[in-house]
């Protein structure tokens, strides 16, 4: 089964609040985005968003230039249905972040709480970082949340990579200036505890 087929099946078979990464409110992501980009006209991309409620919180906070990207059409359909009439205020993009054509240096914030820790080989990680470098403007921000170095070894039946803030920054390399890192104890719908680390960086220049 390919990557897209895997995630389509996940979102067909499980409700949004049945997946382990579910958050009723993506509070920490929203707060870090507001810290990085207080201007409500900031261009924000949520990568691998699935059916995340982060977009709801950003809309409620007044942000106007939001793009939600995911491989799964089923996940995006759930987001569209949940947002109702407000879905027209968001660009919903069905694509693979590793090869989607993104406009160069147009994003103010790149957010990911769902993709990077599934990239377990160097080649795919390098493609991801290249996309970030291409799409985020100098002075823009990158917010990536992954499983912490004491977090789970697998998620949704797939192997994952785990990171400390320092290890995550090493993967991204030069040109990214660390701003903040925050640890989160995420409690799954089943009651399990998962350690996440959120790393906020600024793209040099600008």
């Amino acid at each position: 089964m390919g990557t897209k087929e895997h995630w389509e099946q996940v979102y067909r078979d499980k409700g949004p609040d049945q997946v382990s990464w579910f958050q009723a409110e993506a509070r920490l992501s929203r707060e870090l985005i507001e810290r990085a980009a207080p201007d409500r006209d900031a261009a924000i991309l949520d990568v691998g968003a699935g059916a995340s409620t982060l977009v709801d919180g950003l809309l409620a906070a007044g942000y106007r230039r939001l793009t939600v990207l995911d491989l799964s059409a089923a996940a995006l359909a759930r987001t569209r249905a949940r947002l109702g009439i407000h879905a027209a205020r968001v660009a919903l993009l069905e694509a693979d972040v590793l090869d989607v054509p993104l406009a160069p240096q147009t994003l103010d914030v790149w957010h990911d709480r769902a993709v990077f820790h599934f990239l377990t080989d160097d080649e795919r990680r390098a493609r991801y970082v290249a996309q970030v470098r291409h799409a985020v403007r100098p002075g823009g921000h990158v917010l990536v949340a992954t499983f912490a170095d004491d977090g789970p070894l697998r998620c949704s039946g797939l192997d994952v990579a785990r990171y400390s803030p320092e290890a995550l920054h090493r993967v991204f390399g030069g040109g990214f200036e660390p701003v903040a890192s925050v640890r989160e104890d995420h409690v799954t719908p089943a009651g399990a505890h998962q350690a996440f680390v959120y790393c906020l960086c600024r793209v040099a220049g600008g």
Side-chain angles (χ1 to χ4, degrees), residues 37-53:
D39 183 352
R40 269 37 184 181
D41 282 322
I44 300 170
L45 174 66
D46 188 10
V47 173
S52 168
T53 60

Side-chain angles (χ1 to χ4, degrees), residues 34-196:
E34 289 184 298
R35 171 180 172 178
D39 183 352
R40 269 37 184 181
D41 282 322
I44 300 170
L45 174 66
D46 188 10
V47 173
S52 168
T53 60
L54 174 60
V55 65
D56 307 58
L58 293 174
L59 283 171
Y63 286 96
R64 293 178 282 271
R65 298 173 61 201
L66 302 174
T67 300
V68 171
L69 182 151
D70 201 88
L71 271 175
S72 169
L76 293 174
R78 288 182 173 177
T79 295
R80 185 180 294 107
R82 188 185 69 245
L83 291 175
I85 61 172
H86 300 294
R89 300 163 56 193
V90 179
L92 298 173
L93 183 58
E94 180 188 343
D96 185 335
V97 68
L98 297 184
D99 54 30
V100 61
L102 298 170
Q105 297 188 352
T106 54
L107 294 176
D108 295 293
V109 179
W110 174 295
H111 172 267
D112 170 10
R113 186 183 173 266
V115 177
F116 196 75
H117 54 215
F118 286 108
L119 306 180
T120 56
D121 63 84
D122 291 340
E123 188 270 337
R124 296 176 76 212
R125 284 191 286 258
R127 287 169 60 194
Y128 181 104
V129 173
Q131 285 281 65
V132 175
R133 291 182 183 276
H134 170 78
V136 182
R137 66 169 181 82
H141 288 80
V142 182
L143 174 56
V144 176
T146 71
F147 288 125
D149 47 10
D150 58 342
L153 293 169
R154 290 175 64 80
C155 178
S156 190
L158 301 175
D159 291 336
V160 297
R162 305 183 299 175
Y163 295 93
S164 66
E166 296 77 15
L168 185 58
H169 189 255
R170 282 196 299 271
V171 174
F172 276 76
F176 296 91
E177 302 167 352
V179 175
S181 62
V182 182
R183 183 180 170 91
E184 178 186 56
D185 179 26
H186 170 64
V187 182
T188 73
H193 289 253
Q194 296 179 335
F196 276 76

Side-chain angles (χ1 to χ4, degrees), residues 21-35:
W21 53 91
F22 171 74
Q23 294 176 305
E25 179 188 10
R27 180 189 57 79
L28 183 52
S29 288
R30 178 179 51 76
E31 289 177 352
L32 288 168
I33 288 171
E34 289 184 298
R35 171 180 172 178

